[in-house]
Amino acid sequence: MFKFQGADILSVNQFDHASIEYLFTIADTMQPYAHRKKRTRVLDGAILGNLFFEPSTRTRVSFGTAFNLLGGHVRETVGLSSSALAKGESLYDTARVLSSYSDIIAMRHPDSGSVAEFAEGSRVPVINGGDGANEHPTQALLDLYTISKEQSSHGKTIDGMHIAMVGDLKYGRTVHSLSKLLSLYKNIKFTFIAPDELAMPSYIIDIVDKAGHQYEITEQLEGNLDADIVYQTRIQQERFPSEEEANKYRGKFRLNQAIYTQHCKSNTVIMHPLPRDSRADANELDNDMNQNPNLAIFRQADNGVLVRMALFATTLGVESILKDHECDVIWHSQKANLGL
Ligand code: NCD
């Protein structure tokens, strides 16, 4: 099994089935803390360096929230232009310096391989929060955790499931990492729905194929959505050579309640890593699905905190002493009191 303590989390390639199951068991134990039923101060005094050199809301804030919920402090650096990288400093030097200010670092950067390069210079564990179009391991873990919960609520397992991935499968790092993780399971059926120009890279298809899974590659949304999970994605406009190029594909694969009713199964679960592009010319996942109980996007985002708490606890080696540092919550939010 993968040894979490002290490790960098750079790619989903690091994990096997047993390590994922272990991590998910730890994520389950984080529920009372994430829901503010209890507090733990297990990371009291520890500092997370949260370095985000690309736009982010959920990933950045959920890393910070997860660390705070374990009792640690968060120091943020946001934006390439406001860091010394803009003055020509190497990732190695930045890592050497910032790692002596932190106990662990989470990092997002626009270039593939950049987080691994940074980790070479770091003296503390580094967690990849997304490196260009390459990988997004923590998102894939929270996606898989969500899939496992949604499937079990329907009396099903990950093994044997059917997933349709839709949209920008070329530049979408979340679908790259998720496909690799799912390949560790058995008898998955993948349907990859994308314009030819934005198809899933062949090295990912090879991994799925070699692991013996079934897969179909298509440009057609209609008729291909009768899956257990439909994983919708945003056109990754920031990775296209120009905005005009991205505009060619925006709004091509829209999912709304009418399409859901016509083409999905009655209990198909809809996922999206978020943000969904809600502008009229894109709108890949319509607001008219917000009341659909099978829309799992907000449960998925909530699970991000649990999984990231589990990653911090395991990489810092405190997962077995959470309870020793537990204390009561002395406040309650108004919403919680009202049961909202
Ligand atoms: C994704 C990302 O950054 O790759 N977002 C996220 O982390 N939840 C997907 C996206 O930006 O479309």
Side-chain angles (χ1 to χ4, degrees), residues 54-56 58-59 108 129 132 136 139 172-174 233-234 236 238-239 272-275 308:
E54 249 195 350
S56 173
R58 256 152 303 273
T59 307
R108 169 173 288 187
H136 196 343
Q139 179 72 40
R173 54 193 170 197
T174 70
T233 64
R234 175 182 71 88
Q236 307 283 295
E238 62 276 36
R239 315 228 182 275
H272 190 304
L274 300 178
R308 292 186 172 113

Side-chain angles (χ1 to χ4, degrees), residues 215-255:
Y215 65 91
E216 197 180 327
I217 299 171
T218 173
E219 286 196 280
Q220 184 72 33
L221 186 74
E222 289 79 9
N224 287 309
L225 293 176
D226 57 342
D228 297 306
I229 307 278
V230 170
Y231 190 102
Q232 176 64 300
T233 64
R234 175 182 71 88
I235 298 296
Q236 307 283 295
Q237 64 179 50
E238 62 276 36
R239 315 228 182 275
F240 282 73
S242 68
E243 198 172 332
E244 296 76 68
E245 192 66 25
N247 285 342
K248 286 194 207 158
Y249 306 103
R250 218 191 288 281
K252 218 170 167 133
F253 296 129
R254 294 168 191 260
L255 193 52

Side-chain angles (χ1 to χ4, degrees), residues 144-171:
L144 190 68
Y145 182 78
T146 305
I147 290 171
S148 146
K149 299 282 173 205
E150 298 290 325
Q151 284 290 91
S152 78
S153 76
H154 294 153
K156 295 188 206 162
T157 58
I158 300 178
D159 290 334
M161 68 169 235
H162 176 194
I163 184 166
M165 296 186 180
V166 185
D168 185 351
L169 306 185
K170 177 181 180 186
Y171 295 117

